[in-house]
């Protein structure tokens, strides 16, 4: 029997064990009336070979878990992906991942399966989430033939919604962490950025609860309303 089983068309080749793990991945959870404190989130940050969402690759994944209203430091994910032929570029100066680290990284199929098993059925949080969502979705499609359906919430969008008085409508992660006096040990490192984003998210969730935005449907409704207002003001 062949070691590999192919998907139809031009999909990736996976071992039978990998196919079984893929089959057992959790379906994303449905939004319900649980409070934000009761909701499990996975906070994600990616380091990539560049900013081109059609061409560049995911090099590193860092993630932490928010559960029961706190960051669970015992549940963290950190992985550098192996990328054949990767060379140093301008982005290397930002993320600091040497080509030798990438050459010795985890094979992408295994890395992405490990990560999605870590995610489970939870919604995902990221800062400027559209980039992370699209890069992760493309990596999963290319390596696993898997279509990402998990919800993403953008912390960069939640922050001005619940803190309009800060007047930081187009601010970056550094701006918001400074605004709240958070100490960030290291930037442009996937795990450190994920932890900083999670700390910021907990502050924002506390402020959201004070505004009666204490579950995902209510929060999403207000985010959609703000998007429409911004679209009309352009």
């Amino acid at each position: 029997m062949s070691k590999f089983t192919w998907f139809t068309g031009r999909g990736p080749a996976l071992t039978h064990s990998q196919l079984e793990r893929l089959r057992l991945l959790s379906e994303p959870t449905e939004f319900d009336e649980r409070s934000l404190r009761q909701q499990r989130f996975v906070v994600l940050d990616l380091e990539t070979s560049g900013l081109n969402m059609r061409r560049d690759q995911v090099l590193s994944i860092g993630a932490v878990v928010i559960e029961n209203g706190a960051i669970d430091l015992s549940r963290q994910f950190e992985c550098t992906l192996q990328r054949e032929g990767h060379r140093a570029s301008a982005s290397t100066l930002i993320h600091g991942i040497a080509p030798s680290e990438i050459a010795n990284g985890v094979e992408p199929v295994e890395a992405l399966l490990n990560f999605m098993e870590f995610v489970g059925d939870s919604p995902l949080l990221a800062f400027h989430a559209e980039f992370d969502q699209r890069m992760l979705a493309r990596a999963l499609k290319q390596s696993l033939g898997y279509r990402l359906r998990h919800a993403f919430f953008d912390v960069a969008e939640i922050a001005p919604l619940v803190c309009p008085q800060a007047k930081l409508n187009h601010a970056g992660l550094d701006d918001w962490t400074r605004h709240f006096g958070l100490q960030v040990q290291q930037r442009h490192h996937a795990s450190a950025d994920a932890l900083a984003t999670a700390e910021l998210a907990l502050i924002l969730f506390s402020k959201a609860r004070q505004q009666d935005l204490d579950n995902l449907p209510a929060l999403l409704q207000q985010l959609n309303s703000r998007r429409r207002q911004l679209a009309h003001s352009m």
Side-chain angles (χ1 to χ4, degrees), residues 3-226:
K3 178 181 177 182
F4 296 104
T5 299
W6 276 264
F7 287 95
T8 57
R10 296 184 179 181
L14 305 177
T15 66
H16 290 293
S17 174
Q18 290 167 341
L19 279 172
E20 182 63 10
R21 291 173 65 192
L22 183 62
R23 186 185 69 82
L24 293 174
L25 290 179
S26 300
E27 292 292 321
T29 188
E30 298 287 338
F31 294 167
D32 55 31
E33 299 300 318
R34 279 180 296 171
S35 72
L36 295 176
R37 189 180 294 276
Q38 295 173 314
Q39 176 71 56
R40 180 184 189 266
F41 295 94
V42 173
V43 188
L44 162 72
D45 186 79
L46 304 178
E47 298 299 336
T48 63
S49 59
L51 299 177
N52 189 313
M53 290 185 279
R54 295 184 177 181
R55 184 186 65 234
D56 286 306
Q57 295 179 307
V58 174
L59 301 181
S60 176
I61 304 173
V64 297
V65 170
I66 292 177
E67 195 162 22
N68 298 320
I71 300 168
D72 184 353
L73 293 176
S74 70
R75 299 289 312 281
Q76 299 189 54
F77 185 94
E78 183 172 8
C79 182
T80 298
L81 280 68
Q82 183 184 86
R83 297 296 189 186
E84 293 183 7
H86 175 78
R87 297 180 180 179
S89 65
S91 64
T92 306
L93 298 175
I94 299 173
H95 56 61
I97 307 173
S100 59
E101 292 180 73
I102 294 168
N104 293 316
V106 179
E107 196 273 325
V109 168
E110 287 295 314
L112 291 164
L113 280 171
N114 290 344
F115 178 64
M116 292 310 297
E117 289 169 343
F118 177 84
V119 170
D121 64 357
S122 299
L124 293 135
L125 290 171
F127 199 94
H128 292 151
E130 180 183 5
F131 179 80
D132 296 87
Q133 183 176 17
R134 290 180 63 177
M135 291 297 290
L136 178 61
R138 186 163 67 88
L140 289 166
K141 186 68 174 177
Q142 289 178 341
S143 292
L144 300 177
Y146 176 86
R147 184 169 69 87
L148 181 65
R149 299 185 299 279
H150 291 63
F152 268 74
F153 285 85
D154 190 351
V155 176
E157 194 178 25
I158 296 171
L161 172 71
V162 300
C163 300
Q165 71 285 352
K167 300 188 184 301
L168 294 173
N169 289 329
H170 303 288
L173 181 58
D174 289 331
D175 299 305
W176 283 106
T177 54
R178 279 196 299 268
H179 177 74
F180 288 113
L182 296 174
Q183 299 297 314
V184 181
Q185 299 300 318
Q186 185 178 7
R187 281 285 280 113
H188 302 297
H189 181 280
S191 293
D193 284 358
L195 181 57
T197 302
E199 291 173 346
L200 175 58
L202 287 178
I203 294 172
L204 299 175
F205 287 162
S206 176
K207 293 185 176 298
R209 285 193 293 271
Q210 295 168 13
Q211 300 169 38
D212 294 324
L213 303 177
D214 195 23
N215 56 59
L216 288 179
L219 183 60
L220 183 59
Q221 182 180 26
Q222 287 302 307
L223 287 170
N224 287 335
S225 177
R226 184 173 184 274

